[in-house]
Amino acid sequence: MSQTLSRRSFAAVSTLGLGLPGLLGGCRGTTKAGSTTMIPGEQAPLADHLGWFSVDKPTIARVMTELTARGADAADLYFQYSRDNSITMEDGIISRASSSVDQGVGLRVVVGDQTGYAFTEDLSLEAMLAAARTAAGIAHAGAAHAPVEFKQRSRSTNFYTLSQPWAEVQTVQKLPRIEHLAALARKADPAIHKVTVSWADGEELVLIADMHGNVHTDVRPMTRLWCMLTAKKGDVTQSNSANLAGRHGFDWYTDERLEFLAKEAVSRTMVLFDAKRPPAGEMPVVLAAGASGILLHEAIGHGMEADFNRKNTSIYASMIGKKVAPDFVTIVDDATQAGERGALNVDDEGNPVEKTVLVDHGVMASYLHDSISAKHYKVKATGSGRRESFRHSPMPRMRSTYMENGPHTREEIIASVKKGIIAETFTNGQVQIGAGDFTFYIKNGWLIEDGKITAPIKDINIIGNGPEALRNVTMVANDCKLDFGGWTCGKDGQSVPVSQGLPTTLVSKMTVGGENV
């Protein structure tokens, strides 16, 4: 059976929120031990995390005993506290501002192929025991698991250190940055008619305890700044946007980054006045470095998540060790890139993260595994067990997916194309994971004629098949970069932040939905 996923694109990231702790006097009071400020990335003492959730080791042991009372091959408690803040400025006026918090614990027990899952927002012992009994009633077999002693596991990784936690950044500090970005965009061109700036920041605290007594903790920051523009020339109106995102702090938003973001949003918008739709038909497509990684993520990466292969719904289910791409193609999924949206110190099961090679010089090398799929395939987990929140059970998910550098240059690739297009910025798309068929909508691009870029193009659909497109890669440049914007991946009703990237890549043929001439 095939599954269809729709790309939420940038709009989906709005769930991050955009914070107002200064305006609202701080949100930490919503949790019982809110007087503690956790430093993102640092591994604070376990007592600090336990205090934040107002639980202790005996309480965790009691709940775990109840959770595993009817048997368990695996079991865990996932405590999470998240704070999300947002500010939106439209034409110089703050039009929306919000701050939200969420807290709870998810309880999972696994017995064979059965998974019992329950969650509660109430962290009292009585509520957690009731949730544990519910989960245990869904998946059970065999004898109870013996109680264990819980200890925090140390880690050496720290991929998102902040000099100042977002909880300590006041709204009055954010407003000048928002105003400056809006001013930069507005003064860039007299045709700019409307400027909207959207700011987001937040952080989440997690504590993961498993049935073997391992306890893992993390504090995960996130931020995004989005500049959306509308320009008018006579009766013609064009709109576009650009955004920056990552696991960074307030000081990341330097004047240089604000200038870059404004310039990117303006150039994407103004070029549309001169852009046209290209001729339709099958032709070579050059995938621009950076944002084109969305095609790699959706059309290929999802098919390499282990649960789809375990269920035989992915075309890659029997492809480990087999040739799937040219020799110069290596594809990885990497959670270890500091500050990236897809970075993690530990996954949502407490597994260590890594750089996972999915395609090694053209050969399918690995799937992305959570603990369940790793046990099924008799391999180690790749640190890819992720969940949207404590309300959801983890599953294999991408983190930061990209293709490594190839042997060519961008100039060589463009010069090799007699008639084709460059796909530069993507806004949405649809993928059928089982077969890998896809359709993507390109907002900005360029026409290539006789080896030269000749004109801007817009509003293009490209249609193809992920595995086939991978086989049809004929050149890969040495300019790999991750997209600087914020992407959110949807799967089985869960959304998680991801990163993605690509070097300039030539696919020899793809169907382009342009104009019939």
Side-chain angles (χ1 to χ4, degrees):
M1 181 179 68
S2 298
Q3 178 174 355
T4 298
L5 273 127
S6 295
R7 157 60 39 192
R8 288 179 175 81
S9 189
F10 297 128
V13 193
S14 61
T15 53
L16 282 179
L18 315 170
L20 298 175
L23 187 66
L24 302 180
C27 302
R28 288 170 294 170
T30 58
T31 187
K32 297 176 185 177
S35 59
T36 302
T37 297
M38 297 289 192
I39 307 299
E42 291 187 3
Q43 192 172 24
L46 179 57
D48 289 354
H49 285 266
L50 293 172
W52 189 278
F53 294 106
S54 295
V55 296
D56 54 21
K57 289 182 182 180
T59 298
I60 291 177
R62 177 71 184 88
V63 175
M64 185 66 73
T65 299
E66 193 71 32
L67 183 62
T68 59
R70 304 180 69 181
D73 295 327
D76 54 42
L77 309 180
Y78 182 84
F79 292 87
Q80 180 192 33
Y81 169 87
S82 62
R83 170 184 30 241
D84 299 310
N85 307 296
S86 69
I87 306 171
T88 299
M89 173 179 283
E90 298 180 276
D91 294 328
I93 300 172
I94 299 296
S95 60
R96 291 185 299 277
S98 67
S99 185
S100 64
V101 296
D102 197 18
Q103 178 174 274
V105 61
L107 304 92
R108 179 179 64 154
V109 59
V110 180
V111 179
D113 290 331
Q114 305 175 77
T115 297
Y117 198 83
F119 68 87
T120 174
E121 299 167 3
D122 182 351
L123 298 186
S124 67
L125 177 60
E126 295 76 12
M128 289 191 288
L129 289 175
R133 286 190 286 271
T134 298
I138 299 171
H140 57 85
H145 181 73
V148 296
E149 180 182 357
F150 288 91
K151 295 181 179 179
Q152 184 178 28
R153 299 305 172 188
S154 63
R155 55 174 169 79
S156 58
T157 56
N158 189 356
F159 298 120
Y160 27 85
T161 299
L162 272 61
S163 59
Q164 182 182 26
W166 279 111
E168 296 179 357
V169 180
Q170 302 298 306
T171 303
V172 293
Q173 296 173 259
K174 304 171 190 177
L175 292 179
R177 299 279 79 192
I178 295 171
E179 292 166 349
H180 184 47
L181 174 59
L184 288 169
R186 184 169 290 281
K187 73 179 184 181
D189 196 291
I192 300 298
H193 175 70
K194 183 178 180 63
V195 178
T196 300
V197 175
S198 179
W199 173 293
D201 67 69
E203 57 212 348
E204 64 177 33
L205 287 73
V206 298
L207 184 155
I208 309 159
D210 66 31
M211 63 186 281
H212 304 295
N214 302 305
V215 180
H216 304 271
T217 60
D218 200 8
V219 184
R220 301 165 176 172
M222 190 68 78
T223 186
R224 186 198 61 174
L225 186 58
W226 195 358
C227 184
M228 296 157 279
L229 306 179
T230 299
K232 283 187 175 182
K233 287 186 176 182
D235 296 331
V236 181
T237 300
Q238 300 288 355
S239 298
N240 214 333
S241 66
N243 73 111
L244 295 171
R247 296 193 186 277
H248 300 289
F250 178 74
D251 56 1
W252 187 63
Y253 291 117
T254 61
D255 286 345
E256 291 76 17
R257 283 198 173 89
L258 297 184
E259 290 166 6
F260 168 81
L261 181 55
K263 182 178 179 180
E264 191 71 22
V266 170
S267 63
R268 289 182 183 184
T269 303
M270 299 310 298
V271 75
L272 295 176
F273 286 103
D274 300 317
K276 60 182 181 180
R277 300 193 72 208
E282 189 175 79
M283 65 185 71
V285 174
V286 177
L287 302 173
S292 296
I294 181 58
L295 192 150
L296 181 70
H297 171 105
E298 292 285 13
I300 297 167
H302 274 299
M304 297 181 181
E305 291 168 334
D307 50 348
F308 290 125
N309 292 281
R310 183 184 174 202
K311 299 170 185 175
N312 288 313
T313 58
S314 169
I315 197 168
Y316 295 112
S318 60
M319 297 299 287
I320 293 291
K322 296 181 180 179
K323 194 81 169 175
V324 295
D327 291 344
F328 51 80
V329 170
T330 293
I331 299 171
V332 302
D333 186 81
D334 188 359
T336 68
Q337 297 161 309
E340 284 300 325
R341 195 166 155 80
L344 292 170
N345 285 325
V346 293
D347 76 359
D348 293 334
E349 298 179 298
N351 293 315
V353 296
E354 63 173 29
K355 175 181 177 181
T356 306
V357 178
L358 300 172
V359 176
D360 187 5
H361 294 89
V363 176
M364 184 81 188
S366 176
Y367 300 133
L368 293 173
H369 290 286
D370 63 0
S371 295
I372 291 177
S373 68
K375 182 178 180 180
H376 174 81
Y377 284 98
K378 296 180 173 59
V379 297
K380 70 179 183 68
T382 58
S384 305
R386 304 188 66 189
R387 61 182 103 198
E388 179 178 329
S389 75
F390 65 88
R391 297 180 178 87
H392 305 86
S393 186
M395 62 179 123
R397 302 295 300 269
M398 283 174 279
R399 300 153 302 183
S400 178
T401 311
Y402 60 94
M403 185 185 296
E404 294 189 338
N405 279 330
H408 309 101
T409 67
R410 180 178 184 271
E411 293 72 24
E412 288 173 340
I413 290 174
I414 293 170
S416 73
V417 177
K418 182 171 180 58
K419 182 181 179 181
I421 67 166
I422 299 176
E424 191 165 79
T425 61
F426 293 68
T427 55
N428 56 52
Q430 193 172 61
V431 178
Q432 192 176 49
I433 288 176
D437 296 330
F438 64 79
T439 300
F440 283 102
Y441 182 80
I442 300 166
K443 184 70 173 178
N444 295 94
W446 301 89
L447 185 64
I448 303 176
E449 297 174 293
D450 296 323
K452 293 181 172 57
I453 297 173
T454 58
I457 56 177
K458 64 180 179 181
D459 302 334
I460 317 132
N461 283 311
I462 56 173
I463 303 165
N465 175 272
E468 182 181 340
L470 192 57
R471 291 191 298 270
N472 289 335
V473 170
T474 55
M475 299 178 78
V476 176
N478 57 359
D479 59 351
C480 178
K481 65 178 181 180
L482 296 180
D483 184 42
F484 49 79
W487 293 89
T488 296
C489 174
K491 174 181 174 181
D492 289 351
Q494 293 193 44
S495 297
V496 296
V498 294
S499 302
Q500 58 215 7
L502 201 71
T504 302
T505 300
L506 175 61
V507 180
S508 62
K509 57 182 178 179
M510 210 177 287
T511 300
V512 176
E515 293 182 335
N516 294 317
V517 294

